[in-house]
């Protein structure tokens, strides 16, 4: 297939040094990864000759995508570079900028293979499970259970509603459970950011019939657990 | 929560269930309609295929693959281990009459070792080369799978740990632990197995994740105790 990595870069100008740029190509079997990197210079004609790109291989058996098969092209009028190659073995490419202010972007020709959070590196410092006890205006109050250190006592916290993603606002109400996670996120370029994420816990609606079945099951278990059960 | 302390560069967690499934049901909007994922996540999901035989899609942090015999949900986002559990448990809370025969939890991690020497020492420690020097003058570990003993006191049947050199991280190792809950004999009641599956997700998920972290920590420490050559 033809694999295309679009590399988003902002504010390009002639002879703009893009810094380190890499393209990883993953094989269909997941058995190898091929990496191109080097210092790119944007030329006035918009073409970045591949001869300026260094190549390195991460695993041993990746010679099937030789460096010369990659073409790097600046698209007209937009700050996007295309890295293109053709190989029956390539399933997915991920392009990234290792330094500078450019952002990375991946658009393989077969978008079904994109997993946006692939490779997300996150070091969790603290995690809680919370139950909303009160919701008023732009804040809510919650009881927090420490999932990082289960010996800790529960805590009560007042949290700004703005901390919760908009998509979860409709289901955030008294009694809602949520996960709150704080940690460091590591970007591909090595940038480390402190991140706080709240996600309201989602569970299917309980029907009357289901509640009855669960009650029955609990009663059976209770019966079995009794000494003479 | 065990997911917290890991320094894995890349990782993923998977829940498998074996049984009898109807793949076309498992569409992104089915999950959002049943309050298992956000509507936005369903809307932006990248669908690979939906047929009577197989459904596969990725909705932001969640990957779903369902065939007639196997149900698989996976996340590679280390902050989403608990929501993944909720999706798996919630799915079969809705489809409560699905015949489940067996299930498994699996987690993989790619760790970068401090140096190339460490990388070789790691492989040499777990797969000593003495027995191979007469056949392969220059041999190296490709895959090692260890299985623990079954124990009646354990809530699962057995565990496997797979070690490989990482295909994604330079001088990295790939560690995967899978906890197997064996398929039922044909005569047993699959309804009970479904309840066991949901109970295990609710009661053993954290313990499983912690076990994987403990295992990885042990593996990444113990090889250093080998006498230097």
């Amino acid at each position: 297939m033809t694999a295309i990595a679009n590399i988003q870069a902002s504010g390009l100008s002639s002879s703009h040094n893009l810094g380190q740029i890499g393209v990883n190509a993953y094989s269909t079997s997941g058995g190898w990864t091929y990496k191109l990197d080097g210092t790119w210079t944007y030329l006035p004609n918009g073409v970045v000759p591949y001869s300026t790109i260094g190549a390195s291989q991460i695993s041993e058996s990746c010679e099937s995508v030789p460096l010369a098969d990659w073409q790097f092209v600046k698209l007209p009028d937009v700050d996007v570079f295309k890295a293109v190659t053709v190989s029956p073995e390539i399933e997915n490419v991920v392009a990234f900028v290792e330094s500078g202010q450019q952002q990375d972007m991946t658009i393989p020709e077969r978008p079904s293979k994109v997993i946006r959070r692939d490779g997300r590196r996150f070091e969790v410092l603290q995690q809680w499970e919370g139950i909303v006890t009160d919701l008023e205006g732009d804040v809510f109050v919650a009881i927090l259970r420490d999932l990082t250190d289960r010996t800790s006592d529960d805590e009560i916290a007042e949290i700004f509603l703005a901390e919760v993603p908009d998509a979860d606002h409709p289901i955030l109400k008294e009694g809602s459970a949520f996960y709150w996670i704080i940690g460091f996120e590591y970007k591909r370029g090595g940038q480390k950011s402190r991140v706080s994420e709240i996600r309201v816990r989602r569970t299917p609606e309980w029907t009357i019939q289901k509640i009855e079945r669960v009650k029955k099951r609990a009663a059976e278990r209770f019966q079995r657990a009794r000494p003479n059960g | 929560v065990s997911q917290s302390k890991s320094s894995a560069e890349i990782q993923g967690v998977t829940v498998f269930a074996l049984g009898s499934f109807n793949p076309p049901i498992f569409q992104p909007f089915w999950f959002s309609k049943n309050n298992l994922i956000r509507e936005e996540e369903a809307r932006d999901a990248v669908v690979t295929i939906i047929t009577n035989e197989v459904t596969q899609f990725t909705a932001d942090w969640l990957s779903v693959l369902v065939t007639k015999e196997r149900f698989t949900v996976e996340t590679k986002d280390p902050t989403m281990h608990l929501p993944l559990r909720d999706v798996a448990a919630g799915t079969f809370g809705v489809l409560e009459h699905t015949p489940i025969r067996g299930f498994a939890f699996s987690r993989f991690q790619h760790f970068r070792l401090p140096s190339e020497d460490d990388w070789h020492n790691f492989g040499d420690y777990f797969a000593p080369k003495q027995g191979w020097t007469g056949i392969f003058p220059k041999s190296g570990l490709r895959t090692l799978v260890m299985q623990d003993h079954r124990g009646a006191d354990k809530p699962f049947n057995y565990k496997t740990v797979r070690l490989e050199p990482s295909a994604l991280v330079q001088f990295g190792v790939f560690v995967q632990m899978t906890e197997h809950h064996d398929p039922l004999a044909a005569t047993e009641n699959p309804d009970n197995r479904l309840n066991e599956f949901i109970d295990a997700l609710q009661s053993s998920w954290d313990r499983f994740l912690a076990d994987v972290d403990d295992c990885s920590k042990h593996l990444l420490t113990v090889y250093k105790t080998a006498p230097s050559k």
Side-chain angles (χ1 to χ4, degrees):
Chain A
M1 66 172 287
T2 303
I4 302 173
N6 285 346
I7 304 166
Q8 184 81 43
S10 57
L12 295 179
S13 60
S14 293
S15 302
H16 186 97
N17 188 332
L18 288 173
Q20 295 287 315
I21 289 186
V23 176
N24 281 359
Y26 300 97
S27 71
T28 44
S29 62
W32 51 260
T33 303
Y34 187 80
K35 182 183 179 187
L36 298 172
D37 58 17
T39 302
W40 281 18
T41 301
Y42 166 58
L43 303 178
N45 64 4
V47 177
V48 181
Y50 52 75
S51 57
T52 64
I53 312 293
S56 62
Q57 59 185 53
I58 290 175
S59 64
E60 294 167 5
S61 54
C62 57
E63 292 85 352
S64 53
V65 190
L67 179 61
D69 285 354
W70 287 92
Q71 299 288 330
F72 293 86
V73 181
K74 165 82 168 60
L75 302 181
D77 304 325
V78 289
D79 291 337
V80 174
F81 277 86
K82 256 180 190 290
V84 182
T85 193
V86 178
S87 165
E89 289 185 75
I90 284 187
E91 176 184 81
N92 192 3
V93 291
V94 175
F96 57 92
V97 179
E98 290 185 321
S99 64
Q101 296 177 29
Q102 296 80 12
Q103 291 182 323
D104 61 322
M105 185 178 178
T106 304
I107 309 177
E109 199 173 65
R110 262 193 348 205
S112 58
K113 294 297 176 188
V114 179
I115 298 171
R116 195 162 70 80
R117 296 202 188 185
D118 249 14
R120 184 184 195 198
R121 191 174 168 206
F122 196 97
E123 180 190 352
V124 179
L125 299 174
Q126 190 80 41
Q127 185 171 14
W128 296 272
E129 183 169 15
I131 303 286
V132 178
T133 56
D134 194 19
L135 186 63
E136 197 173 318
D138 59 353
V139 294
F140 64 94
V141 179
I143 298 173
L144 300 178
R145 187 167 61 99
D146 193 332
L147 299 178
T148 319
D149 176 6
R150 288 178 185 273
T151 60
S152 297
D153 292 334
D154 288 354
E155 296 169 76
I156 296 175
E158 209 173 77
I159 302 166
F160 283 105
L161 205 56
E163 294 271 356
V164 180
D166 292 348
D168 283 353
H169 284 194
I171 57 169
L172 189 75
K173 49 192 154 195
E174 221 176 286
S176 296
F178 63 92
Y179 302 121
W180 186 11
I181 198 161
I182 292 175
F184 289 121
E185 181 160 23
Y186 296 85
K187 304 281 187 192
R188 282 203 169 93
Q191 182 66 44
K192 179 178 173 181
S193 315
R194 199 179 177 89
V195 173
S196 162
E197 291 181 0
I198 289 180
R199 185 178 179 93
V200 179
R201 191 172 178 185
R202 287 171 183 267
T203 49
E205 296 284 332
W206 286 61
T207 60
I208 301 289
Q209 294 88 336
K210 176 145 190 169
I211 292 168
E212 289 305 318
R213 274 195 296 275
V214 170
K215 275 185 184 170
K216 190 175 160 208
R217 227 175 98 207
E220 285 168 1
R221 285 186 170 194
F222 179 69
Q223 198 64 30
R224 279 204 302 271
R226 287 172 66 179
N228 298 320
Chain B
V1 158
S2 57
Q3 67 192 41
S4 44
K5 301 296 182 190
S6 167
S7 59
E9 301 232 341
I10 301 167
Q11 58 177 301
V13 185
T14 311
V15 177
F16 301 96
L18 298 174
S20 185
F21 307 104
N22 184 12
I25 287 179
F26 298 93
Q27 305 201 13
F29 279 107
W30 180 88
F31 285 88
S32 64
K33 187 169 162 280
N34 285 292
N35 198 35
L36 297 168
I37 61 173
R38 293 173 181 155
E39 197 179 324
E40 288 80 355
E41 291 166 341
R43 197 177 52 224
D44 296 339
V46 180
V47 175
T48 307
I49 187 169
I50 296 176
T51 67
N52 288 334
E53 306 297 321
V54 59
T55 289
Q56 184 178 26
F57 72 85
T58 300
D60 194 52
W61 57 276
L62 173 71
S63 297
V64 175
L65 173 62
V66 185
T67 64
K68 284 179 174 293
E69 298 84 28
R70 180 185 279 244
F71 167 89
T72 309
V73 285
E74 179 178 84
T75 185
K76 289 177 179 159
D77 184 335
T79 67
M80 302 303 278
H81 292 171
L82 294 173
L84 182 79
R85 174 198 64 181
D86 293 343
V87 166
T91 297
F92 294 101
V94 177
L95 303 172
E96 56 187 324
H97 298 299
T98 306
I100 297 282
R101 294 174 49 244
F103 55 95
F105 306 149
S106 187
R107 182 180 181 195
F108 70 82
Q109 297 166 303
H110 292 258
F111 294 97
R112 189 183 301 277
L113 296 186
S115 67
E116 185 174 1
D117 282 346
D118 276 83
W119 189 63
H120 288 298
N121 291 342
F122 185 91
D124 290 346
Y125 182 83
F126 291 104
K129 304 300 172 294
Q130 294 91 316
W132 294 96
T133 45
I135 309 167
F136 294 161
K138 213 178 162 190
S139 58
L141 168 66
R142 294 300 299 176
T143 300
L144 174 70
V145 181
M146 293 295 285
Q147 181 176 326
D148 75 345
H149 289 289
R150 288 163 182 258
D153 57 327
K154 293 177 182 169
F156 49 85
N157 295 102
Y158 63 97
K159 282 182 186 174
T160 53
V161 174
R162 174 183 288 264
L163 295 183
E164 291 179 6
S166 171
L168 301 176
V169 175
Q170 192 171 29
F171 305 131
V173 291
F174 169 88
V175 180
Q176 181 180 40
M177 181 190 277
T178 304
E179 185 174 293
H180 302 260
H181 299 250
D182 272 357
L184 283 178
T187 51
E188 293 177 84
N189 182 354
D191 280 353
N192 294 341
R193 200 55 159 170
L194 178 69
N195 292 334
E196 282 173 34
F197 176 41
I198 293 173
D199 287 350
L201 282 165
Q202 303 294 2
S203 62
S204 299
W205 186 244
D206 283 354
R207 191 263 312 142
F208 164 70
L209 295 172
D211 284 355
V212 180
D213 272 342
D214 290 346
C215 170
S216 302
K217 191 176 167 190
H218 171 77
L219 297 174
L220 293 168
T221 307
V222 71
Y223 81 92
K224 294 176 183 168
T225 62
S228 50
K229 293 173 186 170

